[in-house]
Amino acid sequence: KFTEEFMKKFKLFGFKFIFKMEKENKDDVQIYSESYNLKEKVIYILLIMALLSFSAKFHLFFNENSYKKGSIVKEDIYAPRTVKYNDVAKREAIIEELILTSKKEYIHVPEVEVSHYNGMKNFYDQIIALKKGAKIDFNYKIIEESLEKEVNKNLVKEISGLSTKKITAQRDKLLKLLNEIYESRVVKEDGIINIKDEQVEKIEKLSPLEQKVLHTFIVPNYVFDKEKTKDEIEKKTSKIGEQIVEIQAGSIVAKKGEVLTDRKMELLSALGIYSYSETIARLVMNIMYLFIISFISYQTLYRTFKNEILKKNTYRAVLILIAGAFFILRFLSNEYMFIVPFEVMFFMFGILVNPRFAFAMTIISLGFLMPILDYNLIYFFIYLFAVLLGTILLKDIKTRSQLINLGVQLSIVKFILFFILSYFTGVMNVSVVVKAGQIIIAGILSGMVSIALVPYFERTFNILTRFKLLELGDLSHPLLRDLSVKTPGTFYHSMMVATLSEAAADAIGADSIFTRVASYYHDIGKMKRPKFYVENQEGGVNPHNSISPFLSALIIAAHTKEGAELGKEYQIPKEIRDIMFEHQGTTLLAYFYNKAKQIDENVQEEDFRYPGPKPKTKESAIIMLADSIEAAVRSLDEKTPVTIEAMIRKIIAGKMGDGQLSDADLTFKEIEIIIKVFTKTLMGIHHVRIKYPGQK
């Protein structure tokens, strides 16, 4: 093992960068190890998503603009795309206008009006009484208490010099005017008393003496309530939401010779026309974001989905789906992103791999899509919720029509969620209705497009999907039809094995549909020489009686390989062909081995074993057990629960003792469940019938 050194030099934004790189040459053991292969495959997936995602920001590298606040626009600037942005300056202008035009709140003090009106009346009444010769002194105290201030003594002397008639007329005129002034409000705000202009004009027409008297009795009857006014303004401003402005592509946003303001700079930024410093910042942030997403995704895929990624055909299908989806979204305008049936990728992952992988891979894809979609969080959250719900429902999908229904159901959920999020983010306009319609269309298309794509992926990559299983499980399939005609005994045996295996697989949580369909095909190799198998001899001549046990063993053992070859010819998926090899494992053909020993004591046991391999999955192990047990139970003279269970336990113990289940991941608890299910199912098949009179 050795390393090679590389020196890399390049310039970026006027800076010169030099990197020293060391490449470690791996030996063949490392290169072809499972771990190294897994890492490489995960990196390829992430690299495709990261590069296509970051390519959406390549235009930033070629941004030569250096716009900043206060600079003069050298040429007209047009919007490169339709965009909506939050106009903060517009909202602030609305709030400022609201503050200026808002009604001020005042505290009304009616007691002031009454006390000062009565004070003026009492003031004049005392003067008139003295004028008429009343033997009293002028009572200043009672008037000053109502006014809460001193009364000018000279006013009484000046008024007393007038005739009684003039004093009475002056009193009536001033009382009337005082009442009008109070009705039109005397306001005190920030220590200043304000009277309406029309009342001020009336006051100015009075004589100096009358003005002095009137001013003595004028005090504020409305006091400015600063706190209440502030609260009212805050209530109104809190109702002013974000001002979302839509700029259409091609419209002019800044004219030549115009000075760029804060508002214009915000608009340019929203359109992706950045200043030099902001361009660098955005590039750095995008790189950091993609690095974090890549790191999290790598750990998730490498640690959790080893088996899914290492399957060559599945991996290739996933790679093509990711590349295709990202390529379409990368070069499609963001205005139409909601009409793209993104669930197709989710559905395809679920059908071609499994729902668990589909959930993780789709969430990872959503994370990588954010730079392409300009970090549209509404898009992210509605699809995140749709994927969460879809993962739960996808497990129960068994037919193509159910998949279409699921696409429609998810579109309705996204439709409702989109309106809720749009409402609470304050983006409710015509475009919201358009996008909501796009969501419904995408939902309808998602199931249909998925169904259209599945057969091509099934055939191209020879992937076994649940839909493919249902097709293979149709008894009118050419291979099964031939099996029923050429080897009726084997066909019946396969149906019985399928019944047993499906029930057992379902009981322990294995794939029951796959187990049933694989059972149909596990013995198709017997079609080549049907009469060499006892179930197809129908009481006729046994050809093994006329040949050596060595040849008999070769013929019988060959049916696994011949079945796999026939399956390949008919494009039967590899998973089912593996069952054809594994359902006999390396079991010993005991009958022919013992017969051969009678001829030659030195015969090798290995020569009379099936070529294998041993079952590697629960489903394969169940089919092996069902295959042996079904044939053995048929040979029982008395079929009772006790005899059947005893036979089942004997066969399973023999398989375990022979090491045939050593590679399968069956637990002792699961084996016990399988025994109970086999017993119950076989009793249902071989139940004792009541004999009617006349029957033998």
Side-chain angles (χ1 to χ4, degrees):
K1 212 168 34 171
F2 61 93
T3 60
E4 296 178 20
E5 290 188 359
F6 300 90
M7 298 295 289
K8 298 289 183 182
K9 300 178 183 179
F10 64 93
K11 291 183 179 180
L12 181 64
F13 302 120
F15 296 96
K16 187 176 181 181
F17 295 89
I18 300 175
F19 285 95
K20 179 181 178 182
M21 303 173 68
E22 291 186 354
K23 180 182 177 182
E24 183 179 2
N25 289 317
K26 312 257 181 203
D27 56 32
D28 288 346
V29 174
Q30 288 178 297
I31 290 174
Y32 293 105
S33 70
E34 192 176 75
S35 176
Y36 185 81
N37 197 21
L38 177 62
K39 289 178 182 178
E40 193 176 53
K41 288 187 172 185
V42 171
I43 288 170
Y44 286 150
I45 291 174
L46 300 181
L47 200 59
I48 287 174
M49 291 192 288
L51 287 177
L52 281 170
S53 182
F54 189 65
S55 69
K57 302 301 176 185
F58 278 172
H59 66 278
L60 297 177
F61 284 107
F62 309 103
N63 184 12
E64 297 178 357
N65 299 319
S66 57
Y67 298 117
K68 61 182 179 180
K69 181 186 174 184
S71 62
I72 298 173
V73 179
K74 297 177 182 178
E75 57 182 16
D76 291 345
I77 303 173
Y78 295 90
R81 57 194 173 92
T82 299
V83 72
K84 291 176 188 160
Y85 83 105
N86 181 17
D87 194 338
V88 178
K90 185 178 179 181
R91 184 175 184 273
E92 289 176 351
I94 293 171
I95 292 173
E96 187 176 346
E97 180 67 21
L98 182 66
I99 292 171
L100 292 173
T101 57
S102 289
K103 182 182 176 183
K104 294 180 179 180
E105 298 293 330
Y106 297 91
I107 300 171
H108 183 207
V109 189
E111 296 83 2
V112 169
E113 303 168 11
V114 176
S115 63
H116 285 65
Y117 182 88
N118 291 334
M120 179 184 278
K121 188 175 182 300
N122 184 273
F123 175 79
Y124 275 103
D125 287 347
Q126 287 192 64
I127 293 173
I128 292 170
L130 288 170
K131 193 75 177 172
K132 290 180 177 181
K135 303 295 183 178
I136 58 171
D137 293 326
F138 193 90
N139 191 346
Y140 288 98
K141 184 177 180 182
I142 190 171
I143 296 171
E144 288 176 344
E145 284 179 355
S146 64
L147 297 178
E148 295 182 355
K149 65 179 180 179
E150 291 185 4
V151 177
N152 189 342
K153 308 296 189 293
N154 292 327
L155 284 177
V156 177
K157 291 179 182 180
E158 289 183 46
I159 295 170
S160 297
L162 301 174
S163 65
T164 302
K165 185 178 179 181
K166 285 185 177 181
I167 295 172
T168 303
Q170 188 184 83
R171 178 196 66 183
D172 293 342
K173 181 173 71 171
L174 292 180
L175 283 172
K176 181 181 178 183
L177 183 55
L178 181 64
N179 192 50
E180 289 178 2
I181 290 170
Y182 278 134
E183 283 182 357
S184 65
R185 292 190 178 190
V186 180
V187 177
K188 184 178 182 181
E189 184 177 343
D190 297 330
I192 300 171
I193 297 174
N194 294 312
I195 301 171
K196 288 192 175 179
D197 292 343
E198 58 186 34
Q199 302 301 333
V200 172
E201 290 177 4
K202 291 179 181 180
I203 293 171
E204 289 175 348
K205 292 177 182 179
L206 299 174
S207 66
L209 176 61
E210 289 172 337
Q211 289 184 23
K212 289 179 184 177
V213 174
L214 192 62
H215 281 303
T216 300
F217 292 94
I218 293 176
V219 292
N221 65 337
Y222 281 87
V223 180
F224 176 60
D225 191 339
K226 188 175 181 180
E227 290 301 319
K228 189 175 180 182
T229 302
K230 183 181 176 182
D231 290 342
E232 287 298 318
I233 291 173
E234 286 178 352
K235 284 180 185 177
K236 291 177 181 178
T237 54
S238 65
K239 294 178 182 178
I240 301 172
E242 294 180 341
Q243 299 301 302
I244 306 300
V245 179
E246 185 173 24
I247 307 297
Q248 293 294 328
S251 60
I252 191 166
V253 292
K255 294 182 179 179
K256 184 178 179 180
E258 186 178 349
V259 177
L260 291 176
T261 60
D262 284 333
R263 187 165 181 265
K264 287 291 183 183
M265 289 301 297
E266 287 178 8
L267 178 55
L268 293 178
S269 179
L271 288 166
I273 305 170
Y274 314 117
S275 63
Y276 186 74
S277 58
E278 190 173 355
T279 297
I280 296 174
R282 284 181 177 262
L283 278 170
V284 171
M285 290 300 176
N286 275 285
I287 291 170
M288 288 176 63
Y289 172 81
L290 289 172
F291 177 79
I292 293 169
I293 289 293
S294 298
F295 177 78
I296 296 170
S297 302
Y298 178 84
Q299 296 299 324
T300 303
L301 295 175
Y302 182 77
R303 296 176 184 276
T304 314
F305 298 102
K306 174 183 174 182
N307 294 333
E308 289 84 349
I309 293 171
L310 286 176
K311 286 182 181 178
K312 183 172 65 175
N313 290 348
T314 301
Y315 174 74
R316 288 174 179 173
V318 168
L319 213 60
I320 287 177
L321 280 170
I322 289 171
F326 271 75
F327 189 83
I328 291 169
L329 286 166
R330 165 64 184 87
F331 294 102
L332 187 73
S333 171
N334 283 357
E335 294 178 48
Y336 306 107
M337 60 186 171
F338 283 101
I339 204 170
V340 177
F342 182 73
E343 293 98 327
V344 170
M345 186 163 65
F346 170 63
F347 289 159
M348 292 297 288
F349 287 150
I351 294 166
L352 298 175
V353 190
N354 58 58
R356 184 164 155 267
F357 178 81
F359 170 76
M361 200 66 241
T362 309
I363 298 301
I364 288 170
S365 299
L366 271 175
F368 276 100
L369 278 174
M370 283 299 98
I372 295 175
L373 302 174
D374 289 331
Y375 298 92
N376 188 320
L377 293 180
I378 290 180
Y379 185 96
F380 179 84
F381 281 113
I382 67 170
Y383 274 98
L384 174 64
F385 190 83
V387 170
L388 284 168
L389 180 61
T391 304
I392 298 169
L393 301 177
L394 192 61
K395 296 175 182 177
D396 300 322
I397 299 298
K398 292 182 175 65
T399 64
R400 300 178 192 272
S401 61
Q402 286 178 329
L403 187 63
I404 293 176
N405 291 337
L406 178 58
V408 175
Q409 290 166 3
L410 293 182
S411 71
I412 294 170
V413 172
K414 290 188 299 174
F415 176 86
I416 296 169
L417 197 60
F418 177 68
F419 265 109
I420 293 171
L421 292 176
S422 297
Y423 175 79
F424 283 111
T425 53
V427 188
M428 290 298 287
N429 49 38
V430 177
S431 65
V432 170
V433 178
V434 174
K435 287 181 179 176
Q438 292 177 353
I439 288 172
I440 294 295
I441 293 170
I444 296 170
L445 289 174
S446 61
M448 297 170 66
V449 173
S450 299
I451 287 171
L453 290 176
V454 165
Y456 293 101
F457 277 83
E458 286 175 338
R459 286 197 295 269
T460 304
F461 302 104
N462 200 20
I463 296 174
L464 183 63
T465 68
R466 64 191 71 178
F467 299 136
K468 183 71 173 177
L469 275 174
L470 292 174
E471 290 175 4
L472 291 170
D474 186 349
L475 298 181
S476 63
H477 188 281
L479 266 178
L480 296 181
R481 195 168 56 242
D482 286 350
L483 185 69
S484 66
V485 174
K486 295 178 180 179
T487 56
T490 299
F491 179 79
Y492 174 79
H493 163 71
S494 297
M495 296 301 109
M496 294 300 101
V497 170
T499 302
L500 288 171
S501 300
E502 183 179 22
D506 189 55
I508 66 169
D511 191 337
S512 58
I513 297 175
F514 169 77
T515 308
R516 172 172 58 83
V517 175
S519 297
Y520 290 163
Y521 292 88
H522 80 285
D523 268 347
I524 60 171
K526 291 181 179 181
M527 283 195 291
K528 193 165 185 179
R529 302 178 187 87
K531 296 301 180 181
F532 280 85
Y533 303 93
V534 66
E535 68 265 24
N536 298 313
Q537 291 170 2
E538 300 174 352
V541 178
N542 187 345
H544 291 289
N545 294 335
S546 58
I547 61 175
S548 73
F550 299 95
L551 182 57
S552 293
L554 287 173
I555 292 171
I556 298 298
H559 88 272
T560 58
K561 181 182 177 183
E562 289 167 348
E565 289 173 351
L566 190 59
K568 194 171 185 179
E569 181 184 335
Y570 279 81
Q571 294 185 330
I572 301 298
K574 183 179 181 299
E575 290 85 348
I576 294 179
R577 299 204 310 271
D578 287 343
I579 297 293
M580 297 175 190
F581 278 118
E582 294 173 10
H583 80 277
Q584 293 290 356
T586 57
T587 305
L588 177 67
L589 291 158
Y591 176 80
F592 296 111
Y593 172 66
N594 291 325
K595 195 174 179 182
K597 284 195 76 171
Q598 294 174 6
I599 300 170
D600 182 2
E601 283 290 337
N602 299 318
V603 69
Q604 296 295 313
E605 187 178 291
E606 286 72 20
D607 295 334
F608 286 84
R609 285 188 177 273
Y610 281 96
K614 297 174 183 177
K616 291 182 173 59
T617 63
K618 291 180 181 181
E619 292 82 4
S620 185
I622 288 170
I623 292 171
M624 166 186 268
L625 297 176
D627 183 48
S628 300
I629 288 165
E630 194 280 328
V633 168
R634 261 191 292 133
S635 66
L636 287 174
D637 293 328
E638 185 182 1
K639 298 179 179 66
T640 65
V642 175
T643 57
I644 288 174
E645 184 174 339
M647 176 64 77
I648 292 171
R649 290 187 180 277
K650 179 182 178 182
I651 290 171
I652 292 178
K655 294 292 184 185
M656 292 175 68
D658 196 27
Q660 298 302 315
L661 303 180
S662 58
D663 293 342
D665 53 353
L666 283 175
T667 64
F668 285 112
K669 183 179 180 181
E670 288 171 336
I671 289 173
E672 194 61 34
I673 293 171
I674 290 169
I675 291 170
K676 299 297 182 186
V677 172
F678 279 171
T679 304
K680 183 179 178 181
T681 306
L682 285 167
M683 278 305 302
I685 295 170
H686 299 289
H687 64 278
V688 178
R689 291 179 176 82
I690 299 171
K691 288 187 178 181
Y692 292 95
Q695 287 185 332
K696 293 182 180 181

